[in-house]
């Protein structure tokens, strides 16, 4: 069963939107290279300026394995260097129906 992980965060004040988007793209590419199972990745921005990453995984097991690899990927460190400390929140949603 697939899983959707939603991450909300605020970028540091000095960063431009293009930099957030560029680092998100690099992060997605690095994760896809490191392990299969990321089936969709989207980045959006809410009216209040908060960013939202929506990533769809083929399974919880894949997400767990990526979380073990993540600290070793330079793209992860680069992406999270833009996140304002204490603003990141993750929700995991198990997909029950796909219509």
């Amino acid at each position: 069963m697939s899983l959707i992980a939603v991450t909300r965060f605020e970028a540091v004040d000095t960063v431009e939107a293009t930099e957030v988007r560029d680092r998100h793209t690099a992060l997605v590419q690095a994760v896809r290279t490191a392990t299969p199972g990321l089936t969709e990745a989207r980045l959006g921005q809410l009216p209040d300026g908060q960013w939202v990453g929506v990533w769809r995984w083929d399974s919880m097991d894949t997400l767990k394995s990526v979380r073990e690899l993540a600290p070793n990927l330079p793209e992860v460190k680069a992406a999270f260097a833009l996140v304002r400390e204490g603003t990141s929140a993750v929700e995991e949603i198990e997909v029950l129906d796909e219509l």
Side-chain angles (χ1 to χ4, degrees):
M1 195 161 301
S2 64
L3 178 88
I4 296 173
V6 179
T7 305
R8 295 174 184 257
F9 63 94
E10 292 178 25
V12 295
D13 291 334
T14 58
V15 71
E16 298 288 329
T18 54
E19 184 69 17
V20 175
R21 293 174 71 194
D22 290 347
R23 291 198 193 184
H24 179 261
T25 298
L27 175 60
V28 170
Q29 292 172 345
V31 168
R32 285 188 168 145
T33 299
T35 185
L38 177 59
T39 61
E40 183 179 356
R42 299 185 184 265
L43 178 67
Q45 193 171 24
L46 299 173
D48 67 0
Q50 191 174 54
W51 292 88
V52 180
V54 181
W55 290 30
R56 186 180 185 120
W57 300 92
D58 63 356
S59 70
M60 176 57 98
D61 289 339
T62 300
L63 177 56
K64 286 180 183 178
S65 70
V66 168
R67 285 188 174 150
E68 291 174 9
L69 289 171
N72 300 317
L73 296 174
E75 295 84 358
V76 171
K77 293 174 187 173
F80 281 92
L82 301 180
V83 175
R84 184 180 301 168
E85 191 173 324
T87 65
S88 183
V90 179
E91 298 174 276
E92 295 172 0
I93 305 158
E94 186 176 3
V95 177
L96 302 176
D97 288 323
E98 294 189 45
L99 306 174

